[in-house]
Amino acid sequence: MKSHVKAVVIGGGVVGCSVLYHLAKAGWTDIMLIERSELTSGSSWHAAGGFHTLNGDPNVAKLQAYTVQLYKEIEELSGQSCSLHLTGGVMMADTPERMDFLRLAHAKGRYLGMDTELITPSEAKAMFPLMDETNFVGAMWDPVEGHLDPSGTTIAYSKAAKKLGAEIVLRNRVVELTQEVDGTWNVVTEQGTVKAEHVVNCGGLWAREIGRMVGVELPVLAMEHMYLLTEPMPEVEEFNKSTGREMIGVLDFKGEIYTRQERNGILLGTYEKACKPWSPVNTPWDFGHELLQPDIDRIAPSLEIGFKHFPGIEKAGIKQIINGPFTFALDGNPLVGPVQGLTNFWCACAVMAGFSQGGGVGLALSNWMVNGDPGFDVWGMDVARFGEWAGLRYTNAKVRENYSRRFSIRFPNEELPAARPAQTTPLYDTMLANNAVMGDSWGLETPLWFAPKGKEPKDIVSFHRSNDFGPIGEEVRATRDKVGVTEIANFAKYEVSGPGAEDFLNRLMTNRMPKTGRIVLTPMINEFGKLIGDFTIAKAGPRDGEDRFMIWGSSAAQKYHMRWFEKHLPKNGPRASEVRIHRFDQTLVGLSIAGPKSRDLLRKLVDVDISTKAFRFMDFREMAVGGAPCMVNRITYTGDLGYEIWMAPAYQRLVYKAIKDAGEEFGLVDFGMRALLSMRLEKNFPTWFRELRPIYGPFEGSMDRFIKLEKNDFIGREAAAKEQSEGPKLRRVSFFVDAADADVMGDEPIWAKVGKDYGTVEKPHGYGAPRFDTSGQEVRGSKAAQGASAVRGIVDGDWRVVGWVTSGGYAHYVQKSMAQGYVPAALAEDESAGLFEIEILGHRRPARINVEPPFDPSGEKMRT
Ligand SMILES: Cc1cc2nc3c(=O)[nH]c(=O)nc-3n(C[C@H](O)[C@H](O)[C@H](O)COP(=O)(O)OP(=O)(O)OC[C@H]3O[C@@H](n4cnc5c(N)ncnc54)[C@H](O)[C@@H]3O)c2cc1C
């Protein structure tokens, strides 16, 4: 065993072996994988070995597609077979709602390069004759599904990595991790200590315990999972003989089961409602190649439906039931990337579908470690996406909820109840008393909308407009015509201070920093010129003679942004103390008042001049509001005249009561987050993680006026200048949609009657960082449209899929259904009617670009 290496990968399951292989392939060969026992000693050896590409997050879906196409490569390099069976598979819908869900998934596939197809139950039965097709209303066919040998695949990765120069040490547990002042990790093992620059946690069932070695409680939990294998079945053998094909994989949402052929019989697995965590607090280190006791009673309800839907299987004898544990994060997606607050400590764990995702996880992580950037939009699996609130008990409740709902529909207006409320503001009870329907915003209870008095404050979940439609309309109209108040505690808030604060922010942000008492809006981009943040920044008065900036951003991105800020702080040496960053989280909360009467209202609560001249649009002041010390921004996300008022939590009730009392004479209403999002739509304002994501350049995102290329040398300046001079390929645009009773939700395809190929049909996935494709060649930029024309359903006569929706909904004040999305730049200013259609739940609806925002296009109202 070497004593010094560049990186140690802990864990020899499928994920650790994939990470090792991808690191070696990217050129880091001085690396070592350390495994406690033999390879596959966690959950990898007893997996059912199924793989598929479908995922709720299109970016994760793309990485799953990459994983599947990787298997041939590692087989060739290692000489080890993965026993790949690319059978294809179907997802069966038993209700119209589930069919809507499949239509959505199929529509997304149009620009993701996926070749799915909607088929009838009879067509599905022809490929899997054991089913009773009368239980279903439709199905979706995906050719990129199948199964493989889990152990063979893990060994294939490991052999391929070894061929490229990586070392694997078996039967050697990592017992401790410590870090030297210079950042070197001491990886203390049963066989001695290895010094490493980087450590990767691929501990699978023990990932949580490895996290604890460095003081981190990762939000990951193992669940018991069962599948059964039948005796050989004559029907299966007959099908194979008569068709010359293997039976396909079938996913039955209603039964919460998946099934496929295994040898001459059938494998059938369940995600049962009565699910059970395994080792919820500590994972025993002596757990080896073991299986858990099967519990047939637990899966009986699923089996009952399964046998009804697939009567052919009921007749077969059960040969074996496998029960084994594997891990999940709160949302079922992996935890990947560098852990905020630590240096060179990486995660690739909570991979619940190692044989669909392991390759993509390995590729993204190795890009990140070698190039400083994952090369893809990996937000959906970034370890930074959960906050401190996701502790052990929260994780336990949420993972159980997620497991039991694995095959349930998540409606766009559906809030899930487990582990809530976690964080609340002082106004929580008041908002409940006001009949608020609350939502979870990064662990914080936030009012979404207010149900009318006497009505139960509850969403009726649906893909269509629902019971919140009327009340949200009321909130919007009252705010736009008079004045409204809403809680905005769910924004991220930071203070950056110190003598180096301004230089630091100027280096990170694309816009100039504001003068004292002023506010700017600014994107943040990475060195590849892609959007990684969007902030409101105010310069506060100096404290102890030092500069002080207040920053507001996306709540969900707090750890993601802190990781970036920390990475770029002046490190050791004399400048190290020049910049300090403080993340407030819920130690600073807020209220926003908006609407034409908001100034009159605020005037009653303050003792300073807030006239148009004294307190201008985009001004920032510290002032007492209702007697409480507050910070006030003259800006609101509604795009009206309005204010954001920030205070310590101890003052929030006082300020809210003062606003309510003073607002009575102006007709003040409470409005929730959904009304706020509706109002931003009619101003064409983007949102972070929807319109703005790391796959888009700032000019593509139509953020042109916030990019000051001439100001100073900021991170990504060169790439942004290139994007500007070459002209962005895509543009973010707003649409009016001629919708019926359902508005867009995001990820719908945009069709245009253009008759020619714009070459941007496939959504960009990689974002410019050097990365390696499956042939080992370095790829730069998006592989947009490569092979896209082969995808079924993107061309229809003169119509073509030219882009995708990022978000939208109903804009209540202008009374129009609206959508935002990306289209080729050449089409972005064409407001012609009849040019675009947006596919909503399988129906193409006419849409028209609106270049100017329909509400207050000149911005006069917010400047008044
Ligand atoms: C019954 C069942 C069916 C499944 N079916 C499928 C399926 O059909 N398709 C699919 O894609 N996935 C399936 N899975 C899930 C799949 O098994 C996991 O996604 C995958 O195994 C995760 O791999 P991993 O490498 O992250 O973790 P693991 O396989 O748990 O590997 C972690 C490794 O780390 C080692 N380790 C831990 N701590 C240390 C330490 N301190 N020092 C040294 N080594 C350490 C362990 O010994 C272990 O070998 C199934 C799982 C089960 C249980």
Side-chain angles (χ1 to χ4, degrees), residues 10-16 34-36 41-44 46-50 172-174 202-206 210 225 227 285 324-326 351-356:
I10 307 174
V14 64
V15 175
I34 303 180
E35 165 54 47
R36 183 185 66 100
S41 289
S43 51
S44 296
H46 49 58
N172 185 25
R173 178 157 73 90
V174 171
C202 295
L205 295 175
W206 295 266
I210 294 171
H225 181 72
Y227 64 85
W285 286 110
F326 68 118
V351 183
M352 62 81 50
F355 299 94
S356 298

Side-chain angles (χ1 to χ4, degrees), residues 383-667:
V383 64
R385 73 189 182 282
F386 302 115
E388 297 76 4
W389 35 270
L392 189 64
R393 288 180 182 218
Y394 185 99
T395 298
N396 191 305
K398 268 295 181 221
V399 168
R400 290 166 74 163
E401 179 183 64
N402 183 272
Y403 185 100
S404 69
R405 292 181 44 92
R406 172 132 177 85
F407 292 151
S408 306
I409 297 175
R410 173 88 188 257
F411 290 93
N413 63 340
E414 187 168 11
E415 294 285 328
L416 301 179
R420 291 178 52 204
Q423 297 175 86
T424 55
T425 70
L427 287 178
Y428 177 65
D429 296 331
T430 310
M431 292 299 155
L432 290 185
N434 289 352
N435 228 15
V437 177
M438 303 298 280
D440 171 5
S441 176
W442 212 60
L444 177 72
E445 293 299 315
T446 304
L448 298 176
W449 59 283
F450 294 84
K453 277 207 177 74
K455 289 256 159 78
E456 191 189 2
K458 197 173 172 203
D459 276 310
I460 298 176
V461 296
S462 173
F463 286 118
H464 300 254
R465 289 179 195 153
S466 187
N467 60 327
D468 59 349
F469 189 81
I472 293 173
E474 301 280 318
E475 292 169 25
V476 167
R477 284 185 289 279
T479 302
R480 289 265 194 245
D481 291 337
K482 296 174 199 156
V483 55
V485 57
T486 192
E487 263 211 280
I488 48 172
N490 63 331
F491 290 15
K493 320 109 197 166
Y494 315 87
E495 183 187 81
V496 175
S497 60
E502 185 146 2
D503 282 352
F504 172 72
L505 290 173
N506 260 323
R507 173 114 185 89
L508 258 57
M509 305 293 166
T510 62
N511 204 346
R512 288 195 184 84
M513 286 305 103
K515 295 195 169 55
T516 303
R518 294 291 289 159
I519 295 171
V520 295
L521 304 179
T522 176
M524 180 165 81
I525 59 177
N526 62 17
E527 46 276 63
F528 309 105
K530 300 296 174 184
L531 288 161
I532 53 166
D534 184 37
F535 300 100
T536 302
I537 301 188
K539 187 168 185 184
R543 188 194 295 132
D544 300 332
E546 287 188 350
D547 276 347
R548 203 156 53 97
F549 292 87
M550 289 297 304
I551 304 183
W552 292 270
S554 158
S555 172
Q558 290 184 52
K559 290 206 145 194
Y560 172 88
H561 285 145
M562 280 301 286
R563 193 169 61 193
W564 186 259
F565 294 157
E566 284 169 359
K567 184 174 170 188
H568 293 94
L569 277 175
K571 293 277 156 15
N572 308 322
R575 297 198 50 224
S577 61
E578 286 187 358
V579 188
R580 286 178 298 281
I581 299 181
H582 174 67
R583 180 181 141 218
F584 288 93
D585 206 5
Q586 294 315 322
T587 62
L588 188 68
V589 294
L591 292 161
S592 174
I593 54 172
K597 296 287 178 201
S598 56
R599 182 186 288 116
D600 297 339
L601 193 164
L602 187 64
R603 198 175 273 131
K604 289 177 72 181
L605 304 178
V606 299
D607 304 310
V608 294
D609 182 3
I610 56 160
S611 61
T612 310
K613 273 204 183 136
F615 195 36
R616 294 162 300 165
F617 177 59
M618 304 283 274
D619 268 357
F620 165 90
R621 293 275 186 289
E622 292 180 79
M623 61 175 87
V625 179
C630 292
M631 290 180 272
V632 183
N633 295 341
R634 223 211 95 175
I635 188 172
T636 112
Y637 195 41
T638 67
D640 268 297
L641 170 68
Y643 305 86
E644 288 173 358
I645 306 167
W646 300 97
M647 71 288 298
Y651 293 110
Q652 198 192 20
R653 289 168 71 99
L654 175 72
V655 178
Y656 178 72
K657 183 167 185 314
I659 290 173
K660 288 289 275 188
D661 290 347
E664 210 172 336
E665 68 173 282
F666 304 111

